[in-house]
Amino acid sequence: MAESGRGRERVELIARTAVRVIAREGLRGLTHRAVDRAAGLPDGSTSYHARTRARLLEITLEHMAAEEQQALTAFFADAPPTRTEAARLLAEFVHTSVHTSAERTLARFELALEASRRPELRRIYDRAGARFRDTAEATLRGLGSPAPERHTRSLIAWCEGMVLDSVAGAGTAAPPTLDDLHTGAAELLNALLPPLPQ
């Protein structure tokens, strides 16, 4: 049965709160009661909308996937960008993931690991990832990449590597600035793409 408007709002609140709980306490700390308390909801509210822990994980990942899609659409709204614009957009996207949205990013990595063990989460996670991959491939193709599929993998590896190192790796002590990321993104694109005409 479809959720009413009020029910959808409650599910959104539960999902947003679950993201915060996962980021702070990891998946071990994600319980229905923990979400109720963190959201300021009466006991039993989360379990009413997500009967099982598996369902709680699903609605949380679905919520994150929708947010990621909105962010991606906003960043690449003016596609196809020039090479200079693409470097700026990539830098801003990674910078936001590391600084502004670090909580959501941490939760996403936690859920990525969980998805490797749960096929039902894997499907949701892979659908969300495919959107970013498709956008990146279309951008690289538009910029003249001679091997857009292969170059997309390199581009995503750079983005994900920078983000993971900055929010959970040794790079957390000194995460990259926007200028650092802009320089790195420009260098990567110049390495992948044909030389610009003189």
Side-chain angles (χ1 to χ4, degrees):
M1 186 173 69
E3 294 274 6
S4 67
R6 183 177 170 81
R8 281 193 298 272
E9 289 176 9
R10 181 60 57 88
V11 169
E12 284 294 302
L13 173 60
I14 287 168
R16 286 196 308 272
T17 306
V19 169
R20 293 201 314 269
V21 171
I22 294 169
R24 284 198 316 260
E25 303 176 31
L27 284 173
R28 281 187 175 183
L30 182 68
T31 64
H32 290 79
R33 180 173 291 181
V35 174
D36 284 341
R37 288 179 177 169
L41 295 171
D43 287 349
S45 298
T46 298
S47 60
Y48 175 80
H49 292 281
R51 299 281 183 197
T52 64
R53 190 169 188 275
R55 181 58 188 149
L56 179 56
L57 288 170
E58 285 177 17
I59 66 172
T60 302
L61 189 51
E62 286 165 356
H63 166 76
M64 291 178 63
E67 281 196 334
E68 295 269 332
Q69 178 60 25
Q70 287 177 348
L72 188 64
T73 300
F75 272 106
F76 290 91
D78 298 326
T82 65
R83 188 180 305 192
T84 300
E85 290 167 343
R88 177 182 59 79
L89 290 169
L90 284 168
E92 289 177 359
F93 192 76
V94 172
H95 190 264
T96 297
S97 297
V98 170
H99 296 276
T100 311
S101 305
E103 194 171 69
R104 185 177 68 195
T105 301
L106 278 171
R108 180 169 67 81
F109 283 127
E110 291 271 2
L111 287 165
L113 292 172
E114 188 69 10
S116 69
R117 307 176 193 98
R118 291 176 178 263
E120 68 278 11
L121 293 182
R122 180 84 270 158
R123 287 189 291 273
I124 299 168
Y125 196 90
D126 287 352
R127 274 200 310 271
R131 295 183 191 117
F132 184 79
R133 190 173 298 274
D134 291 346
T135 299
E137 185 173 330
T139 299
L140 287 168
R141 196 180 300 278
L143 292 173
S145 166
E149 288 184 21
R150 180 163 50 82
H151 288 167
T152 295
R153 185 176 292 273
S154 296
L155 185 84
I156 290 173
W158 180 83
C159 291
E160 291 286 74
M162 291 298 293
V163 171
L164 180 60
D165 181 61
S166 300
V167 301
T172 56
T177 66
L178 183 58
D179 285 344
D180 293 335
L181 291 166
H182 188 225
T183 299
E187 289 171 345
L188 176 66
L189 290 173
N190 286 334
L192 295 176
L193 299 171
L196 290 169
Q198 299 296 320

